[in-house]
Amino acid sequence: MRKGIPYLLEAVKLLGDPEIEVILYGGIGWRKIRELIQKYMDMGLRIKLGSGDPVPALRSSHLCIHSAVEDGFGLAPLEAMATGIPTIVTEATGMKDAIHHGMSGIVVPSRDVKRLAEYIQKLKEDDNYRIQMAQAARLAALKYDIRERIAQYAEVLTPVWKSIQLEKSIL
């Protein structure tokens, strides 16, 4: 449930748009999740379960949604952005820091089904906005340098590491 699949499916159900097809990757192996997915499929939602490398599926998608209720820095949304896919993430993920809201992606409150549905609808209806966001997402992802982030984390954590080493030497 940490991946927020119930919130994504509820948002799609709320839209009631038969053109929307959801392809789920990751976090779908649990029996409860599979039962939930089947329940929504029985309600008429078009859902496919993806496996393996998601990048080929991303390349043919119009939108990536990472509706997690808690997550670190998920690579899937960054991969989506790098392939030129507008991406929606929640505030409960580290990915929110890689997105300029409204420009290179969308950040919504965690568990906010209505807001998620609103942005799905907006991006579906407004091709120009979706295309502009896709281009900005790709540029943002290509500028993302993991080495730079590692250096930033090391800078922040160095005082902590030094204090731990000092404590060990005192003991």
Side-chain angles (χ1 to χ4, degrees):
M1 299 294 183
R2 290 180 47 226
K3 296 295 181 184
I5 292 171
Y7 307 105
L8 168 61
L9 297 179
E10 193 59 29
V12 172
K13 178 185 158 209
L14 184 65
L15 291 171
D17 186 335
E19 291 183 349
I20 296 175
E21 178 180 71
V22 177
I23 303 173
L24 296 172
Y25 276 87
I28 56 176
W30 295 89
R31 184 181 63 219
K32 288 281 187 193
I33 293 292
R34 288 193 178 266
E35 289 171 1
L36 178 77
I37 292 167
Q38 187 60 54
K39 176 182 131 182
Y40 279 94
M41 290 172 76
D42 292 344
M43 287 186 238
L45 265 64
R46 296 175 51 211
I47 304 170
K48 290 183 180 177
L49 304 181
S51 62
D53 184 3
V55 174
L58 286 171
R59 288 189 178 126
S60 63
S61 297
H62 293 93
L63 180 62
C64 174
I65 301 170
H66 188 66
S67 55
V69 296
E70 64 172 342
D71 202 358
F73 189 88
L75 287 179
L78 191 61
E79 289 174 330
M81 292 170 66
T83 59
I85 305 295
T87 303
I88 299 174
V89 301
T90 65
E91 293 174 336
T93 71
M95 271 304 298
K96 69 182 179 297
D97 297 331
I99 289 178
H100 184 257
H101 178 75
M103 300 291 290
S104 62
I106 302 291
V107 181
V108 298
S110 182
R111 298 181 174 95
D112 192 334
V113 171
K114 288 182 182 180
R115 184 77 62 77
L116 186 55
E118 286 172 17
Y119 280 113
I120 292 169
Q121 187 69 37
K122 180 173 177 61
L123 288 164
K124 184 176 185 287
E125 290 176 350
D126 191 339
D127 286 337
N128 289 331
Y129 183 53
R130 183 175 46 79
I131 291 166
Q132 287 174 350
M133 185 175 291
Q135 292 168 344
R138 179 159 170 70
L139 291 174
L142 293 176
K143 289 179 185 174
Y144 195 87
D145 185 348
I146 192 67
R147 293 170 295 197
E148 186 178 308
R149 298 298 182 253
I150 290 170
Q152 289 172 337
Y153 280 120
E155 185 178 324
V156 168
L157 292 175
T158 296
V160 176
W161 294 330
K162 286 182 179 177
S163 70
I164 291 171
Q165 289 174 344
L166 181 61
E167 285 179 23
K168 284 184 178 180
S169 68
I170 293 173
L171 297 175

